[in-house]
Amino acid sequence: MEPAIKLSAGVSKWDIRQKVWDYIEDHNLADFPRPVHHRIPNFKASYQACHSIKELDAFNRTSEVKVDPDKPLEGVRLATLQARKMLLVPTPRLRSGLFNKIIPPLGASKDILRVCATSQGVKEYSVPIGLDAKVHVDLVVVGSVAVSHKGWRIGKGEGFADMEYAMMATMGAVGENTTVVTIVHDCQVVDIPEELVADHDLTVDYILTPTRIIKTDCKRAKPQAIIWSKVTWELMQRIPILKSLQDRERQAGKDVRLKDERTSEDKEKTALMGAAGAEPRLPNSQSRSARVGQRDLQSNTEAVTTVYVGNIPQSMRAGEFKNMLRESNASPVRLSWQGAQHRAFLDYKDASAAQRVVSSLQGLNISGNTLLVELSTSRRSRMSGNPLSQKQD
C-alpha cells in the first residue's frame, strides 16, 4: 500500500508531524480529543486497530502489558484488562515513579473495565509501583504520530516514550525479547528518512492499523540504557524520577555526567589548553562571524555566543521548539523565546558550538517555514533591548 502522505526530500521530524496532523484533520479522520495537533492523534476506528492486538502471539503469551496512556490506545488497555493480564501504565509525567498498575475492583463489570481503560481509570484505579519492584514486561504498546514500515517511529516531540523505554531497560524491566507495538491510522504509516532516526529513538516491531497488521522486522537496536550524555538539566527537572535512577547508576560506578556537565568540563579543558599556549582556533571562515555573536553576561566573565533563529512558524510552541533543538543536538544553555515575533535567541557557551548549530539549523524547513539562523548580538539588541530581560520558557 502506497503511503497516503508523501514526504519531500530534506523533511524534518516537525514537518512530518505537521503533515500527519493536518492530513488527519483535513480528511475528517480525527476523533476526540480534537484538534489532534500536538497530540498522539486519536482517530476513528482506533478500537478496530486495537482489537488486532489479540492476534499477536506476543500478547497471548504474556501476563504483563505496558500501555501508554494515549487515547487511541484505550482499546488495547481494555483488551488487556478483559484478558485478565496485568496492565501497567506510565506514572503520570514520571514524577514519582515509572509504572502504575491498574487494579479493577473485584467483580468489575464490563462498564467498569471500560472506565479502568480510560484516563479516568488511571486516576481512580491505579497504584504506583516502586523502583525496587521486580517487573519484567514482554510487551510494550506506544502511541505514535508517524511510523514507517521499517519500524522507525516519531512521537509528538516530548521524548517521553523513548526515555521511558530507556529507563525500563536500565531497571531491567525490558530486554532484547520485549516486543514493541504501535497503534496508528493507515495514513500515519509514512516513509521516514533514516537520517532522522537517532540512537536513542524507540523502534517498533508491529504496527496495527484499522486494516492491517504490519510486522516491521526492524533490526535497529532499541534503547538499552539511559544515555546520560544526552540528558540535560532541563530534562532532569521535567522527569524527577531520573534523579533516583542517576543516583543508582552512580553508586554502581557508571558515568552519569549529564550533557551540560560534559560541556562545562570540555570548556574547562579547552581553557587550560589555551593557558598552556595551545589555544584552539576556529577556521578562518568561522572566526569572524563567531566573534560577532559573542558577548559577556553582565558582570560574569564567562562569554557566551548567541544564535538568532527567525521565521519560526506561528503554530509552534516553546516546548516544541525546545524538543526540536534537542532532536537536532542543539540544546542551548539558555533560550529566550519570543513566539509572538516568530523568533528566539539561543545562548551557547562557546563559539564553535554556536557555529555548528547555525550550520545544522540553517535552511531547516518547519511546517513550510524556512528558519533564518545566524550568529548575532546586534540583531537581538536592536529588536528586543536588554537580552536578559526576555521571558525564559
Side-chain angles (χ1 to χ4, degrees):
M1 180 184 293
E2 285 292 318
I5 300 174
K6 305 293 185 181
L7 303 178
S8 58
V11 293
S12 67
K13 285 185 176 181
W14 281 105
D15 285 328
I16 296 174
R17 292 182 182 108
Q18 193 67 45
K19 286 179 179 293
V20 170
W21 288 327
D22 288 346
Y23 188 95
I24 291 176
E25 285 290 349
D26 293 345
H27 290 77
N28 198 29
L29 301 173
D31 208 343
F32 175 84
R34 298 182 70 171
V36 297
H37 294 78
H38 315 296
R39 309 177 190 269
I40 297 296
N42 192 22
F43 55 91
K44 296 173 182 177
S46 63
Y47 260 79
Q48 182 177 336
C50 289
H51 187 77
S52 298
I53 196 77
K54 299 177 182 179
E55 299 181 34
L56 299 183
D57 288 340
F59 177 80
N60 293 319
R61 68 172 180 256
T62 190
S63 59
E64 299 176 345
V65 184
K66 186 261 185 181
V67 187
D68 281 353
D70 308 301
K71 182 66 174 176
L73 308 184
E74 192 174 290
V76 174
R77 295 193 292 274
L78 178 58
T80 301
L81 293 172
Q82 289 174 334
R84 301 184 183 279
K85 300 178 186 291
M86 181 188 293
L87 173 60
L88 300 174
V89 295
T91 299
R93 308 307 291 180
L94 303 177
R95 290 190 182 96
S96 57
L98 191 54
F99 297 121
N100 275 28
K101 176 183 176 182
I102 304 293
I103 303 179
L106 291 175
S109 65
K110 292 181 179 179
D111 288 339
I112 293 296
L113 288 182
R114 286 185 177 276
V115 172
C116 290
T118 66
S119 58
Q120 178 185 348
V122 174
K123 296 176 183 177
E124 297 182 3
Y125 297 103
S126 74
V127 295
I129 296 179
L131 289 179
D132 293 324
K134 300 299 183 182
V135 175
H136 187 81
V137 183
D138 292 318
L139 177 61
V140 174
V141 184
V142 298
S144 302
V145 173
V147 67
S148 78
H149 285 87
K150 296 180 179 180
W152 302 336
R153 171 191 170 276
I154 295 176
K156 61 184 177 182
E158 293 185 344
F160 273 105
D162 305 320
M163 181 54 70
E164 283 173 16
Y165 198 91
M167 288 190 288
M168 287 191 289
T170 298
M171 292 172 56
V174 294
E176 60 180 17
N177 294 322
T178 298
T179 300
V180 178
V181 176
T182 194
I183 313 290
V184 296
H185 190 275
D186 287 278
C187 72
Q188 293 172 256
V189 183
V190 299
D191 294 327
I192 299 174
E194 184 174 6
E195 58 266 23
L196 295 183
V197 185
D199 291 340
H200 63 271
D201 287 336
L202 178 61
T203 57
V204 303
D205 302 297
Y206 287 92
I207 305 167
L208 308 186
T209 80
T211 66
R212 52 190 168 149
I213 297 175
I214 303 172
K215 189 175 186 295
T216 68
D217 293 319
C218 184
K219 305 302 182 187
R220 195 181 188 98
K222 297 179 177 64
Q224 298 178 6
I226 298 171
I227 305 175
W228 294 105
S229 61
K230 294 184 178 294
V231 177
T232 62
W233 284 115
E234 179 190 7
L235 188 61
M236 292 287 285
Q237 294 171 348
R238 288 172 56 203
I239 306 179
I241 197 63
L242 272 174
K243 183 64 170 63
S244 298
L245 292 174
Q246 185 190 37
D247 290 341
R248 292 177 177 223
E249 297 245 280
R250 182 183 290 111
Q251 292 173 7
K254 297 184 179 179
D255 185 354
V256 295
R257 289 175 299 159
L258 305 184
K259 181 177 182 179
D260 316 69
E261 295 172 308
R262 293 168 189 262
T263 301
S264 298
E265 291 176 4
D266 288 345
K267 183 170 183 179
E268 289 175 4
K269 291 178 182 177
T270 300
L272 289 173
M273 290 174 60
E279 181 177 358
R281 302 186 61 180
L282 289 171
N284 290 335
S285 61
Q286 298 180 9
S287 59
R288 181 179 181 278
S289 60
R291 287 195 299 271
V292 171
Q294 201 166 45
R295 61 178 173 79
D296 289 336
L297 286 177
Q298 294 182 337
S299 60
N300 191 342
T301 58
E302 181 183 15
V304 298
T305 304
T306 301
V307 173
Y308 165 83
V309 182
N311 201 32
I312 297 172
Q314 184 175 2
S315 62
M316 179 166 261
R317 303 172 181 175
E320 295 170 338
F321 184 73
K322 289 180 181 179
N323 291 328
M324 183 273 291
L325 293 175
R326 176 178 53 79
E327 290 174 347
S328 303
N329 291 319
S331 296
V333 295
R334 182 179 308 193
L335 165 65
S336 181
W337 174 254
Q338 299 177 13
Q341 289 77 38
H342 315 300
R343 62 181 181 241
F345 295 92
L346 318 177
D347 287 343
Y348 295 91
K349 289 187 175 181
D350 60 80
S352 59
Q355 186 66 56
R356 287 194 299 270
V357 170
V358 171
S359 299
S360 95
L361 297 184
Q362 186 64 266
L364 182 64
N365 188 288
I366 300 177
S367 304
N369 287 34
T370 300
L371 296 182
L372 173 61
V373 188
E374 63 183 35
L375 289 162
S376 176
T377 299
S378 58
R379 176 189 287 272
R380 182 174 191 169
S381 302
R382 190 169 61 248
M383 287 182 172
S384 54
N386 182 359
L388 296 179
S389 66
Q390 301 303 319
K391 178 182 178 182
Q392 304 295 318
D393 187 278

